[in-house]
């Protein structure tokens, strides 16, 4: 891979699987023409789909096989090359750094140990020291359902030698925990084996124990790692957890996706920001420059015209480029709260119909995102977005004031069209649940204002752009935890908010799904009965924040100055800064 301006070349190694014997001629000649190819088909299945759905036993086994296959291939390659060129595997940490991107490659810890013990003849203590000094682990989520663990019988059947090594590592770690005086509760939380119910191998605990560095991806996330999921491991290894706030590449998320903006910025501050995104701070001096504000607004408008043409072509919906483009694009997940936005959209629709005489700000609500194949509620949320869009867009009573679009097949290419055309960036996850977010950074870099919760990197974006240039609402992470502990009653909250109550009951009773009136009864029932994601708790605060956005939009000069302050102050969220921190503080290069 040739780097920026051709100054560096790095190797990206990709693997594929093939059968040892791609066609079994004996079977073929015996008339079994399909059976002759079955080994090749099996090899292909291993690498065809990344992260196969693990909702079935067969999917689960395929996923573990795939994780081991890719991980083992890379680890064998790294260790073999090191031994070949350096002679001694004990110097591996001086020459190699292996960063585990989430727990998917966590079996690497056991695989490195296997090679050092079985192929290179190291003693356990020495192998463990070499492994730990080589490996770092990045955690990307605190959601317990996303922390991988494998049923012990499956792990043992597929990887019997690794199972022995995991047991040996576990006895060492638990010995250290007892020596440190930790209690039984802490010891069972630290164990690499989950003994509650069906025994499982905990990959996050394996990654944590086998790494010299364990990092979170935003300041809040890193603090929550210490106080929640990894609190006991953190007590045992207090120097291991550190923070590396995520970043995005300005080559793709500014230079490639928004050439019009780049050209205006070059005229304003020169081209130093192309090599060093933090130089965008020079724009702060020009935040109130009327001409610059107008030129940036012209670029934004032409990006919106281009997006409107694209959306017309793919969905048939016609958008007014002078309306406020409000964009909510990311994987569909209940914690990312597309439902909060959809319910507020319905409430806004009701209010416009009831009070058409008010001076509403024309809005376009754009949604996009994919659902995991086995995530039922996420798919229902996509259906709801489409159902709301159909009804709202065909209602002459709201006319040009509100349009709703769900763009299909959200991916990076589509994001590169949507983000430069956004006025408002929706970053409204339940506080404490979004590890960092990176969409938030891309939007701010392209001059959108954020409406968001105090979650993930939103907090650090707010610290940099300033409280006046971002719209914050809702419960804090601490308040969410306290509310859950106290026993939160969403029904009471819904019944106390007229707008919320009307919107939820309209959706629940089939106003948007006359073809299947009960389609959303269960989804809305979930909010009434438990509302784990605090949609009801945050609704009034979110709706008020949206009306505050409307008032800001009515002051174009103020909006433009805030957009400039966003662009100026988010250069720090460049992946160049993030990677430099990993290099210096974790990899020692
Ligand atoms: C940046 C990006 C994401 C991550 O978005 P979040 O809002 O941080 O969840 C997901 N998908 C695509 C295509 C992206 O470009």
């Amino acid at each position: 891979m040739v780097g920026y301006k051709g100054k560096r070349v790095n190797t990206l190694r990709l693997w594929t699987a093939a059968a040892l014997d791609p066609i079994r001629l004996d079977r073929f000649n015996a008339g079994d023409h399909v059976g002759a190819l079955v080994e090749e088909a099996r090899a292909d299945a291993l690498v065809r789909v990344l992260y196969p759905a693990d909702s079935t036993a067969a999917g689960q086994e395929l996923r573990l096989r795939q994780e081991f296959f890719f991980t083992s291939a890379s680890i064998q390659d790294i260790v073999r090359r090191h031994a070949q060129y350096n002679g001694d595997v004990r110097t591996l940490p001086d020459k190699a750094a292996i960063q585990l991107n989430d727990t998917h490659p966590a079996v690497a810890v056991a695989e490195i140990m296997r090679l050092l013990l079985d192929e290179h003849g190291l003693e356990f203590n020495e192998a463990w020291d070499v492994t730990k000094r080589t490996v770092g682990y990045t955690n990307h989520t605190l959601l317990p359902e996303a922390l991988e663990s494998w049923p012990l019988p499956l792990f043992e059947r597929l990887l019997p030698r690794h199972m022995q090594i995991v047991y040996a590592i576990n006895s060492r770690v638990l010995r250290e925990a007892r020596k440190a005086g930790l209690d039984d509760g802490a010891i069972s939380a630290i164990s690499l084996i989950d003994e509650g119910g069906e025994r499982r191998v905990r990959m996050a605990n394996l990654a944590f124990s086998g790494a010299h560095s364990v990092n979170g991806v935003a300041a809040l996330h890193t603090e929550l790692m210490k106080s929640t999921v990894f609190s006991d491991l953190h007590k045992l290894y207090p120097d291991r957890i550190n923070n590396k706030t995520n970043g995005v590449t300005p080559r793709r998320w500014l230079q490639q996706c928004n050439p019009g903006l780049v050209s205006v910025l070059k005229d304003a501050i020169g081209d130093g920001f192309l090599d060093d995104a933090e130089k965008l701070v020079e724009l702060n001096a020009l935040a109130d420059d009327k001409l610059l504000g107008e030129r940036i607004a012209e670029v934004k408008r032409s990006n919106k015209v281009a997006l409107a043409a694209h959306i017309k072509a793919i969905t048939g919906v016609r958008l007014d480029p002078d309306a406020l483009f409000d964009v909510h694009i990311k994987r569909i997940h209940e914690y990312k709260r597309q439902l909060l936005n959809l319910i507020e959209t319905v409430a806004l629709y009701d209010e416009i119909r009831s009070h058409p005489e008010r001076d509403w700000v024309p809005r376009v609500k754009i949604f996009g995102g994919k659902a995991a194949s086995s995530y039922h509620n996420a798919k229902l949320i996509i259906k709801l977005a489409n159902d709301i869009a159909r009804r709202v867009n065909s209602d002459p009573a709201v006319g040009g004031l509100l349009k709703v679009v769900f763009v299909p097949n959200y991916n990076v290419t589509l994001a590169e069209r949507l983000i430069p055309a956004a006025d408002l960036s929706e970053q409204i996850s339940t506080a404490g649940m979004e590890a960092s977010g990176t969409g938030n950074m891309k939007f701010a870099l392209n001059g959108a204002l954020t409406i968001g919760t105090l979650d993930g990197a939103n907090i650090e974006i707010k610290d940099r752009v300033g409280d006046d240039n971002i719209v914050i609402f809702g419960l804090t992470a601490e308040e969410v935890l306290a509310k859950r502990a106290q026993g939160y009653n969403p029904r009471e909250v819904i019944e106390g908010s007229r707008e919320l109550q009307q919107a939820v009951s309209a959706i629940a009773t089939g106003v948007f799904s006359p073809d299947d009136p009960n389609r959303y009864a269960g989804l809305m029932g979930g909010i009434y009965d438990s509302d784990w994601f605090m949609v009801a708790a945050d609704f009034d605060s979110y709706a008020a924040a949206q009306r505050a956005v409307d008032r800001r939009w009515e002051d174009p000069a103020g909006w433009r100055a805030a957009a400039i302050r966003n662009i100026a102050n988010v250069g720090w969220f460049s992946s160049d800064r993030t990677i430099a921190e990993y290099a210096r503080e974790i990899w020692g290069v």
Side-chain angles (χ1 to χ4, degrees), residues 67-94:
E67 289 182 355
F68 178 72
F69 172 77
F70 285 132
T71 302
S72 175
S74 287
I75 297 296
Q76 288 188 60
D77 187 46
I78 291 165
V79 174
R80 176 185 57 79
R81 284 164 185 253
H82 181 81
Q84 184 176 338
Y85 295 109
N86 298 274
D88 186 353
V89 283
R90 284 169 299 192
T91 59
L92 184 67
D94 303 334

Side-chain angles (χ1 to χ4, degrees), residues 538-555:
D538 273 345
F539 179 84
D540 281 355
S541 163
Y542 178 58
Q546 288 288 18
R547 301 294 73 79
V549 168
D550 287 344
R551 289 194 292 280
R552 293 183 77 121
W553 182 256
E554 287 164 338
D555 165 22

